[in-house]
Amino acid sequence: AKELGRNNYQFFSAEMNDYLFERLQTEQDLRQALKRNEFLLFYQPQIDVKTQRIIGFEALLRWLHPVKGLLGPLTFIDVAEKTSLIIAIGEWVLNQACLQTYQWQQQFNNNWRVSVNLSAMQFNQQLLLEQVGRSLQASGLPAASLELEITETAMLKDIMETIPLLTALKEMGVGLAIDDFGTGYSSLSYLKNFPINTLKIDKSFVDEIVDNPKDAAIARTIVQLAENLGLRTIAEGVETLEQVEMLTTMGCQELQGYYFSKPLPVGEVERLLANGNEL
Ligand code: C2E
Ligand code: CA
Ligand code: CA
Ligand code: CA
């Protein structure tokens, strides 16, 4: 951070300077991390309620930092987004998730799906279509086995761009899920115009679904809304049997959460799949 120079230095308060320094440091580290291949993906199983078996995985980014150890995305994603490094990182995630999932499909003779999170930054880029196309082609993964998780906030950032982009992705055969559904600026009218397949019920509604009738009512309404629109629902953050039972009764088709499994490193997923995908 020396390049900032002495004269600029004095304009910042000490805290501001600490913050900027920390951010610059993280940004430099992130750049290095890509070069040094320090990122990895964990995979969290998604369970089909009907069969009680794994139907897919959500790919979740991790960073094996040389000093700080294994870091979750919440510690670095915002810096990556503010510095546009998320574009390169996001492309790595897409590539990696497609390659890995195709390998598992071949190895275990199955058609598991992989869900990949997109940041709002990636979503605004026309580049995304090329990235997704390249990842599918390079990996051999069928487009139908890839689902992109996009937040409402990202979708609504630039509606004029969103519709053609989503439409093009859908035409490629890629699945589209609204992540953390119900927590953003939910506007029902976009459900009519956006070619999405899946609503992902946010963990915040699942957490107290058993004790709080309002959360239960919201979850039930989301499932019914999805049903009426011909969409699939998946609930995230499912931790207890009671939550499984309630969501199942409501008609939610897929479940994901610690009750079934935490996000797992590749080796552990393979052990699980080799054991006949039994959780
Ligand atoms: P998300 O998309 O809402 O992902 C779900 C988060 O909840 C994950 O945290 C997961 O580990 C955690 N989780 C899953 N089941 C349970 C549960 O039963 N109980 C509890 N307490 N937590 C559960 P994680 O991996 O730390 O990811 C945090 C967020 O970072 C994600 O939230 C997503 O928004 C973002 N993220 C993760 N990977 C990527 C990525 O590759 N690209 C982008 N742009 N964002 C990512
Ligand atoms: Ca997600
Ligand atoms: Ca989510
Ligand atoms: Ca969430």
Side-chain angles (χ1 to χ4, degrees), residues 179-181 183 200-204 236-237:
D179 204 357
D180 304 334
F181 186 76
T183 63
K200 194 158 187 182
I201 302 173
D202 190 61
K203 178 177 180 298
S204 62
E236 67 172 19

Side-chain angles (χ1 to χ4, degrees), residues 7-276:
N7 293 332
N8 294 324
Y9 201 81
Q10 68 202 7
F11 290 110
F12 298 113
S13 70
E15 290 120 69
M16 188 67 174
N17 195 61
D18 278 356
Y19 168 77
L20 284 175
F21 182 76
E22 170 96 34
R23 202 179 119 174
L24 272 171
Q25 187 66 53
T26 312
E27 181 181 347
Q28 271 179 8
D29 284 2
L30 279 170
R31 246 178 247 288
Q32 290 289 328
L34 264 173
K35 283 200 199 115
R36 293 183 187 156
N37 225 352
E38 291 169 1
F39 291 113
L40 62 161
L41 293 179
F42 275 29
Y43 293 87
Q44 188 174 34
Q46 300 176 327
I47 289 10
D48 182 350
V49 166
K50 274 210 191 95
T51 63
Q52 290 288 311
R53 315 208 90 197
I54 297 174
I55 193 164
F57 299 92
E58 179 174 5
L60 293 158
L61 185 60
R62 298 290 180 267
W63 177 8
L64 191 53
H65 191 283
V67 179
K68 298 179 191 163
L70 191 65
L71 301 177
L74 299 180
T75 63
F76 60 86
I77 279 280
D78 61 326
V79 175
E81 284 181 337
K82 284 184 186 116
T83 56
S84 78
L85 274 168
I86 192 68
I87 301 295
I89 296 173
E91 178 162 26
W92 180 87
V93 171
L94 260 172
N95 264 317
Q96 192 58 34
C98 291
L99 281 168
Q100 183 62 76
T101 306
Y102 185 63
Q103 194 203 305
W104 286 336
Q105 289 188 346
Q106 297 293 99
Q107 190 179 343
F108 299 99
N109 188 28
N110 212 308
N111 60 351
W112 291 300
R113 186 186 62 218
V114 69
S115 303
V116 173
N117 292 285
L118 290 189
S119 92
M121 276 273 283
Q122 283 173 284
F123 193 65
N124 272 346
Q125 311 265 346
Q126 193 60 27
L127 195 74
L128 180 66
L129 285 178
E130 288 166 33
Q131 287 189 352
V132 171
R134 271 201 302 268
S135 291
L136 290 173
Q137 204 165 26
S139 63
L141 186 78
S145 300
L146 175 64
E147 183 160 83
L148 301 175
E149 296 195 357
I150 311 164
T151 62
E152 292 161 292
T153 321
M155 284 192 181
L156 295 175
K157 228 171 108 187
D158 186 348
I159 300 199
M160 295 302 278
E161 271 198 49
T162 297
I163 294 184
L165 186 48
L166 290 178
T167 307
L169 287 166
K170 190 205 172 100
E171 276 165 9
M172 288 173 73
V174 172
L176 300 166
I178 301 185
D179 204 357
D180 304 334
F181 186 76
T183 63
Y185 305 96
S186 307
S187 149
L188 295 181
S189 68
Y190 70 72
L191 289 178
K192 189 177 76 179
N193 301 316
F194 291 1
I196 45 167
N197 314 82
T198 307
L199 301 184
K200 194 158 187 182
I201 302 173
D202 190 61
K203 178 177 180 298
S204 62
F205 302 119
V206 174
D207 281 340
E208 290 178 53
I209 198 169
V210 177
D211 300 315
N212 186 335
K214 287 185 182 168
D215 285 324
I218 290 172
R220 190 175 297 112
T221 304
I222 294 175
V223 173
Q224 276 164 11
L225 177 67
E227 227 170 75
N228 293 337
L229 293 170
L231 307 175
R232 212 170 91 246
T233 38
I234 174 163
E236 67 172 19
V238 179
E239 294 182 347
T240 68
L241 178 60
E242 288 81 3
Q243 292 169 342
V244 171
E245 287 169 348
M246 271 193 85
L247 286 157
T248 301
T249 306
M250 288 176 184
C252 183
Q253 290 118 319
E254 292 176 25
L255 306 173
Q256 175 185 346
Y258 293 176
Y259 178 77
F260 299 98
S261 169
K262 292 199 169 180
L264 304 171
V266 167
E268 282 185 49
V269 175
E270 287 173 352
R271 200 136 39 97
L272 196 70
L273 297 180
N275 284 336

